[in-house]
């Protein structure tokens, strides 16, 4: 079993819909939680960064962390075709090593 | 400001050869991390350097090595290349003060081993 589990999708939604992504993990030492977006032929781009449990909102993006359930989520409101990309969850303890999920490929249809 | 620069962008090497990849971090960033990305295994951590010291290393064989220079630029070396080393190699730079925070990735070096 992988340390971080993420459904690879693909996920296809119409423009304007809410995109819901999630990851589960097994390592209770993880304290730092991130969501990255990766376009084809590009490196991952940091979208959201959260320390410990709780919610964080930034524009159309909301990240949620539930450490008791070892579950993190990312919601994208009012999705746009430009949001079509692969979304990767990542997490870390204090060791400066990121453990990534497999990534979910999202397509937003115009 | 300039982003993370990785050179070269593409490489084709033969089995048994060695290769050196370069990463220039964002100015002021003292940490550089390296990751391997493949379709089967996803993104896997190779190593992380902060102020020329390796702080952590992933579960890769000793053929994979790296270093960081006093100007924070970093190189990684893979010796005795195998077909399975074909991957996108990504580096990320940050100030290195909080795990995962402020990481900026480069566009990667695509290595093909034939």
């Amino acid at each position: 079993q992988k340390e971080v589990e993420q459904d690879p999708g693909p996920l296809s939604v119409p423009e304007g819909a809410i995109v819901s992504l999630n990851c589960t993990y097994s390592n209770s030492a993880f304290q730092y939680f991130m969501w990255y977006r990766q376009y084809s032929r590009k490196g991952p781009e940091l979208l959201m960064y959260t320390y410990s449990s709780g919610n964080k909102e930034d524009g159309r993006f909301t990240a949620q962390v539930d450490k008791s359930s070892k579950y993190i989520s990312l919601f994208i409101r009012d999705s746009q075709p430009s949001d079509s990309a692969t979304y990767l969850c990542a997490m870390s303890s204090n060791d400066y090593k990121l453990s990534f999920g497999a990534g979910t490929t999202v397509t937003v249809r115009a | 400001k300039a982003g993370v620069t990785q050179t070269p962008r593409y490489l084709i090497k033969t089995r048994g050869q060695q290769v050196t990849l370069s990463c220039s971090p964002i100015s002021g960033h003292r940490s550089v991390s390296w990751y391997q990305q493949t379709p089967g295994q996803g993104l896997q951590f190779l190593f992380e350097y902060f102020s020329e010291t390796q702080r952590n290393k992933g579960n890769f064989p000793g053929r994979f090595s790296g270093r960081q220079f006093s100007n924070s630029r970093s190189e990684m070396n893979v010796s005795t290349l195998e077909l399975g080393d074909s991957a996108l190699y990504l580096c990320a730079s940050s100030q290195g003060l909080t795990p995962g925070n402020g990481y900026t990735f480069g566009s990667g070096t695509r290595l093909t081993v034939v």
Side-chain angles (χ1 to χ4, degrees), chain A residues 3-4 23-36 46-56 63-74 88-93 97-100, chain B residues 98-102:
Chain A
E3 202 171 35
V4 180
C23 290
T24 59
Y25 63 94
S26 56
N27 187 344
S28 57
F30 287 148
Q31 300 182 62
Y32 306 93
F33 303 91
M34 293 132 270
W35 285 95
Y36 284 86
L46 181 63
L47 285 175
M48 300 290 282
Y49 177 87
T50 309
Y51 170 69
S52 194
S53 285
N55 296 352
K56 185 173 183 179
Q64 294 182 348
V65 174
D66 182 349
K67 289 187 67 179
S68 62
S69 301
K70 296 189 176 67
Y71 185 91
I72 71 170
S73 302
L74 177 72
L88 298 140
C89 64
M91 39 202 85
S92 178
S93 58
K97 164 192 167 185
L98 299 188
S99 296
F100 282 86
Chain B
T98 309
N101 195 12

Side-chain angles (χ1 to χ4, degrees), chain A residues 47-48 56-63 77:
Chain A
L47 285 175
M48 300 290 282
K56 185 173 183 179
E57 189 172 317
D58 184 2
R60 297 185 295 114
F61 299 90
T62 299
R77 293 182 298 281

Side-chain angles (χ1 to χ4, degrees), chain B residues 19-34:
Chain B
V19 67
T20 299
L21 311 181
S22 178
C23 175
S24 294
I26 289 173
S27 178
H29 283 187
R30 296 163 66 187
S31 168
V32 173
S33 303
W34 288 88

Side-chain angles (χ1 to χ4, degrees), chain B residues 47-75:
Chain B
F47 23 67
E48 190 260 357
Y49 288 89
F50 179 79
S51 293
E52 301 181 69
T53 299
Q54 186 181 85
R55 285 197 293 197
N56 203 349
K57 187 179 189 306
N59 296 323
F60 279 81
R63 300 184 296 107
F64 291 81
S65 62
R67 58 179 176 168
Q68 186 180 33
F69 302 96
S70 58
N71 62 358
S72 293
R73 190 178 70 86
S74 178
E75 289 181 347

Side-chain angles (χ1 to χ4, degrees), chain B:
Chain B
K1 59 182 178 182
V4 177
T5 303
Q6 291 190 246
T7 56
R9 287 296 309 276
Y10 302 93
L11 265 179
I12 299 175
K13 289 287 187 178
T14 304
R15 271 180 303 173
Q17 287 186 313
Q18 74 163 15
V19 67
T20 299
L21 311 181
S22 178
C23 175
S24 294
I26 289 173
S27 178
H29 283 187
R30 296 163 66 187
S31 168
V32 173
S33 303
W34 288 88
Y35 290 82
Q36 181 195 65
Q37 187 173 30
T38 60
Q41 298 298 319
L43 274 149
Q44 293 187 286
F45 173 76
L46 282 156
F47 23 67
E48 190 260 357
Y49 288 89
F50 179 79
S51 293
E52 301 181 69
T53 299
Q54 186 181 85
R55 285 197 293 197
N56 203 349
K57 187 179 189 306
N59 296 323
F60 279 81
R63 300 184 296 107
F64 291 81
S65 62
R67 58 179 176 168
Q68 186 180 33
F69 302 96
S70 58
N71 62 358
S72 293
R73 190 178 70 86
S74 178
E75 289 181 347
M76 67 163 282
N77 183 277
V78 188
S79 62
T80 319
L81 284 166
E82 301 176 0
L83 295 178
D85 297 333
S86 295
L88 180 67
Y89 290 88
L90 293 157
C91 81
S93 80
S94 74
Q95 293 184 344
L97 302 179
T98 309
N101 195 12
Y103 279 30
T104 301
F105 279 85
S107 292
T109 293
R110 172 76 62 184
L111 173 64
T112 302
V113 182
V114 298

